[in-house]
Amino acid sequence: MSADHSTRLYERAIKKIPGGVNSPVRAWKAVGGIPRFVARGAGAYVFDADKKKYLDFVASWGPLILGHAHPKVLAALKKTAAAGTTFGAPTECEVKLAELVCRLMPSVEQLRLVSSGTEAAMSAIRLARAFTQRTKIVKFEGCYHGHSDGLLVKAGSGLATLGLPDSPGIPAGFARETLIARFNDVATVQELFAHHRGEIAALIVEPVCGNMGVIPPKPGFLASLRKITRRYGALLIFDEVITGFRVGLGGAQALYKVKPDLTCLGKILGGGLPLAAFGGSRKIMSLLAPDGPVYQAGTLSGNPVAVTAGLTTLKLLARPDTYRLLEMRGKRLEDGFTNVLEKHRLKAVINRVGSMMTIFFGLDRVINATEAGKCNRQQFARFFHGMLRRGVYLPPAPFEAAFVSLAHKKTDLDKAIAAFDDWAAGEVKS
Ligand code: PMP
């Protein structure tokens, strides 16, 4: 039998693109096998190059909260693109988007649009350093804030450990400015701040983790971060690249009622096109060029096509009931999966906040990166491939969030639950 289209495309891809992919996790290294090449998407489904249909819970890693190819987003995009895709001059839609985001997130009085979450986090850190005139930053083990040099550090655990880069090519000196704390563990944060008094510019956190699998903050954890950063004169940066417009229109900061100094946005903000942002109080943001001396720029920043996709998406999300619906659908999936686990006596814990969810096999609690790291990765790989064979496309790695969108109907979720039941029956037998 001749190889399928995905395999043939992959063989061509690996010759010209490192690993055959333009972002590493797409290569399925954590689960094995050859990645499916996607030909198109519609609503809650994607179709691969061999015309196989999959119920999609990757959602392009978060942006597609309305599902694929939403007709209203497409119509708006066509209209905008026909009038020119980028000008390198200010446009009205940028102002509209900025006004809308500031209204939805009161901690953001001003914002700057960029093209990726990496840029947003990198620029927010630069701004925090300039504002505080300090150099060190604190991040949490397992949190991802893009791949800029100083942020690509998780280091070993241990208090006051100086950061070690996660990737060759990052000078140790850069990584040394990054201190690592443990998520959901206030004491590790407190110790770092006490030990590095007057040196820490900012603490950056995913208020709900999505990059070590979904891990919600313990009650009071975010409020403690607010207190400690204020006490030591450091800025609190919420990286809401995933959570912004996902856990609520006002993001995790509204859900948990904690006001950060700076916020990073991305993913849903661009409605499936490259768009991200960072913002905060006018006092801090006014340091940014051209008002102030902190340089930051971008040829395609705030281009009308990406901004239109974002604006249209946010307006659709602002309809009543959006987040109640997303919560109900997320809960339906979680409850269905939980029933399957109980029925087949499979050990796993499901962490969920609204429409973002992760299943950790072999564990009964996950509150930080160390615990997440103990999950059964082999079982996850079997689960991933088992679900794929049954037409359900999940993130191809154990430490990622699966996303439910407004395009997932109850029947779609029930299909995923039935697939899980079928896989689990085989899993316990073998
Ligand atoms: N921050 C968070 C919380 C993210 O999840 C991501 C991407 N997954 C980023 C930043 C980086 O965004 P991008 O991939 O758009 O550079």
Side-chain angles (χ1 to χ4, degrees), residues 15-200:
K15 290 190 187 131
K16 300 295 178 203
I17 303 170
V21 292
N22 284 309
S23 200
V25 77
R26 297 178 194 171
W28 289 19
K29 294 293 180 206
V31 291
I34 290 174
R36 296 292 99 136
F37 276 63
V38 176
R40 69 185 182 92
Y45 289 85
V46 288
F47 299 80
D48 73 9
D50 297 282
K51 300 199 165 57
K52 281 190 209 137
K53 181 179 176 184
Y54 302 93
L55 181 58
D56 177 28
F57 289 100
V58 178
S60 190
W61 304 89
L64 300 181
I65 196 164
L66 301 173
H68 294 272
H70 190 283
K72 291 210 166 116
V73 177
L74 283 189
L77 277 178
K78 278 185 192 155
K79 196 168 157 213
T80 298
T85 56
T86 175
F87 306 107
T91 54
E92 183 178 355
C93 59
E94 293 163 84
V95 186
K96 282 188 182 162
L97 183 63
E99 286 170 348
L100 179 58
V101 173
C102 292
R103 198 161 67 238
L104 297 176
M105 284 187 180
S107 77
V108 178
E109 291 173 356
Q110 284 199 326
L111 62 86
R112 170 68 48 90
L113 296 178
V114 293
S115 296
S116 70
T118 295
E119 277 179 87
M122 179 186 82
S123 308
I125 296 286
R126 182 179 302 152
L127 197 53
R129 284 178 166 146
F131 185 78
T132 58
Q133 300 188 358
R134 301 172 177 182
T135 56
K136 293 202 186 300
I137 57 168
V138 174
K139 74 175 282 294
F140 292 96
E141 185 184 5
C143 279
Y144 179 67
H145 306 290
H147 61 89
S148 68
D149 286 345
L151 286 169
L152 205 57
V153 184
K154 71 171 186 297
S157 51
L159 299 187
T161 312
L162 295 178
L164 294 172
D166 274 348
S167 164
I170 298 177
F174 288 12
R176 228 175 275 133
E177 301 300 331
T178 307
L179 308 168
I180 307 298
R182 195 177 303 129
F183 193 74
N184 275 330
D185 186 344
V186 177
T188 63
V189 178
Q190 176 58 46
E191 283 186 41
L192 283 176
F193 274 90
H195 192 263
H196 294 277
R197 198 178 282 271
E199 295 178 274
I200 298 171

Side-chain angles (χ1 to χ4, degrees), residues 246-249 317 319-332 352 354-355 406:
R246 164 67 60 187
V247 300
L249 264 186
L317 291 177
R319 291 181 301 192
D321 260 10
T322 293
Y323 292 93
R324 198 180 58 84
L325 257 177
L326 284 168
E327 166 60 27
M328 271 169 45
R329 299 209 179 141
K331 186 167 186 319
R332 189 180 186 92
R352 180 182 69 87
S355 56
L406 289 167

Side-chain angles (χ1 to χ4, degrees), residues 23 61 115-121 143-147 204-208 210-211 239-243 264-267 275-276 400:
S23 200
W61 304 89
S115 296
S116 70
T118 295
E119 277 179 87
C143 279
Y144 179 67
H145 306 290
H147 61 89
I204 185 166
V205 62
E206 291 178 73
V208 176
N211 285 291
D239 181 346
E240 298 226 39
V241 166
I242 290 180
T243 53
C264 304
L265 297 167
K267 300 204 189 249
L275 187 70
E400 301 289 351

Side-chain angles (χ1 to χ4, degrees), residues 367-383:
I367 62 162
N368 58 39
T370 308
E371 292 188 3
K374 290 182 182 149
C375 75
N376 186 332
R377 297 169 199 220
Q378 290 75 26
Q379 192 163 32
F380 180 88
R382 291 196 296 277
F383 162 69

